[in-house]
Amino acid sequence: MDKNSVSTINIIRPDDWHLHVRSGESLKSVVPFTARQCGRAIIMPNLTPPITTTQLARDYQQEVLNATPEPLKGTKKFQPLMTLYLTDNTTKEEIQEAYDSGIVFAVKLYPAGATTNSDAGVTDIKKCYPALEKMQLLGLPLLVHGEVTQSEIDIFDREKLFIDKVLNPLINDFPELKIVFEHITTADAADFVSEGSANIAATITAHHLLMNRNDMLVGGIKPHHYCLPVLKREQHRLALLQAASSDNIKFFMGTDSAPHSQNNKENSCGCAGMFTAFAAIELYAEAFEQAKALDQLEKFSSLNGPQFYGLDINTDTITLKRESWVVPEHYPLDDGYVIPLRAGQTIHWKIEI
Ligand code: DOR
Ligand code: ZN
């Protein structure tokens, strides 16, 4: 049967391997969206202050669980997988404690100044070598925001340069370290991951599969299409779509859904991030359909990620129906609103709950 003309898709429940849920009231607003679609989500640690210790990760996990709607709670339902925020001062003892806790599944590298709440991030990767050595030994993955931060480097080149300046030397020094190149946005990154060893993988967002930089800049600046790494040229979008829908098991779903209030986005200095968790799998389905590769969606959304992390796949399935629906103009966030991707516009797939 031609999967690209079907009106219903049944796939193993997906996981989101890169998600921002913030904290406090904002967290309560956004966690249910992911909990109803995904079995698990890797929860990013870039809060203020950041999640730098296992104890903070434990408290944060509890906060996420408290915001998970009751019927979705528990090990067979939605599980938040916690991460630590790597700093210049993260010790190998902290890494061991995180690993032993059983609740920390990865450590996130933000180059200092690269993106939202990255001020406490890494200033010199060499300072992290004791922690990285321990992670390599334990098999604890390093999740990388892959952009250089030097002010003289053009923002559209920052990911490509990161490969040469940071990733290659890092891999040279830690050949066995499990690395996820997060939210890749360029053909260069896709090629780098495809050609790399089995311990190098990548997440790809739905928005980078669906949009290029024209969607942010043509016909007026669209602050809700601004994220980091920033949208790139069409040729890069096509390369990402090709990688995501290929047979290569190194690419998997990570929405990077990153809610910011409407005020903080529609601002003379707007924040980076798109809110997509409300329709994550539907947006990916649209992208895969466009690539005539709906039959590859399940591998990307539900199989490749667990395989890389050494976890079981989810045991239940979800159903997507070909059904057009109009995205609300906004969703509540804290005491204001978040503007979702495609606000007031149509999405062509719908998950059945
Ligand atoms: O667009 C982004 N938003 N990119 C990031 O790296 C961080 C994220 C956020 O936390 O808002
Ligand atoms: Zn992110």
Side-chain angles (χ1 to χ4, degrees), residues 135-339:
M135 287 165 60
Q136 175 170 253
L137 198 70
L138 296 170
L140 192 61
L142 178 71
L143 314 184
V144 175
H145 182 109
E147 290 189 286
V148 295
T149 53
Q150 287 90 331
S151 60
E152 69 275 16
I153 306 296
D154 190 279
I155 190 165
F156 291 103
D157 298 332
R158 289 179 175 205
E159 181 174 284
K160 181 174 159 52
L161 271 178
F162 187 86
I163 296 172
D164 290 336
K165 298 269 179 253
V166 184
L167 263 188
N168 271 326
L170 183 66
I171 289 168
N172 205 38
D173 290 345
F174 298 98
E176 305 295 324
L177 182 63
K178 282 179 127 178
I179 297 176
V180 184
F181 198 166
E182 296 284 346
H183 42 53
I184 59 169
T185 62
T186 57
D188 311 86
D191 289 347
F192 175 79
V193 171
S194 294
E195 290 157 17
S197 58
N199 46 311
I200 315 292
T203 53
I204 308 180
T205 76
H207 45 279
H208 288 102
L209 291 176
L210 288 165
M211 294 190 288
N212 65 34
R213 63 196 199 178
N214 281 6
D215 293 293
M216 176 179 61
L217 294 170
V218 172
I221 192 158
K222 317 284 191 319
H224 298 292
H225 292 172
Y226 171 61
C227 65
L228 287 171
V230 72
L231 294 171
K232 304 292 192 306
R233 287 177 181 277
E234 177 67 359
Q235 76 196 60
H236 294 294
R237 185 186 77 87
L238 293 174
L240 298 176
L241 208 45
Q242 207 282 325
S245 60
S246 70
D247 282 329
N248 196 322
I249 62 171
K250 295 163 148 215
F251 299 100
F252 41 87
M253 166 168 152
T255 63
D256 199 19
S257 178
H260 290 279
S261 71
Q262 180 173 13
N263 291 344
N264 286 337
K265 292 287 291 176
E266 297 171 14
N267 190 294
S268 58
C269 185
C271 292
M274 298 191 209
F275 179 57
T276 55
F278 71 100
I281 193 66
E282 292 94 329
L283 290 164
Y284 280 109
E286 276 197 13
F288 275 67
E289 181 164 36
Q290 216 184 76
K292 300 206 178 351
L294 271 177
D295 54 336
Q296 299 287 69
L297 178 63
E298 183 181 55
K299 283 174 26 189
F300 177 81
S301 67
S302 317
L303 306 181
N304 295 350
Q307 174 149 346
F308 182 82
Y309 276 83
L311 298 170
D312 292 336
I313 60 173
N314 291 319
T315 50
D316 62 341
T317 59
I318 60 158
T319 302
L320 281 164
K321 284 228 175 292
R322 188 188 296 282
E323 183 185 323
S324 294
W325 56 286
V326 176
V327 175
E329 293 290 350
H330 49 64
Y331 287 106
L333 186 78
D334 201 353
D335 56 1
Y337 296 108
V338 58
I339 309 296

Side-chain angles (χ1 to χ4, degrees), residues 7-39:
S7 55
T8 303
I9 312 172
N10 232 303
I11 55 171
I12 291 168
R13 185 174 292 283
D15 302 298
D16 187 345
W17 299 99
H18 186 128
L19 178 69
H20 299 268
V21 294
R22 315 306 187 199
S23 60
E25 290 305 309
S26 299
L27 175 145
K28 290 184 197 160
S29 308
V30 297
V31 163
F33 289 110
T34 299
R36 70 195 261 279
Q37 294 208 341
C38 293

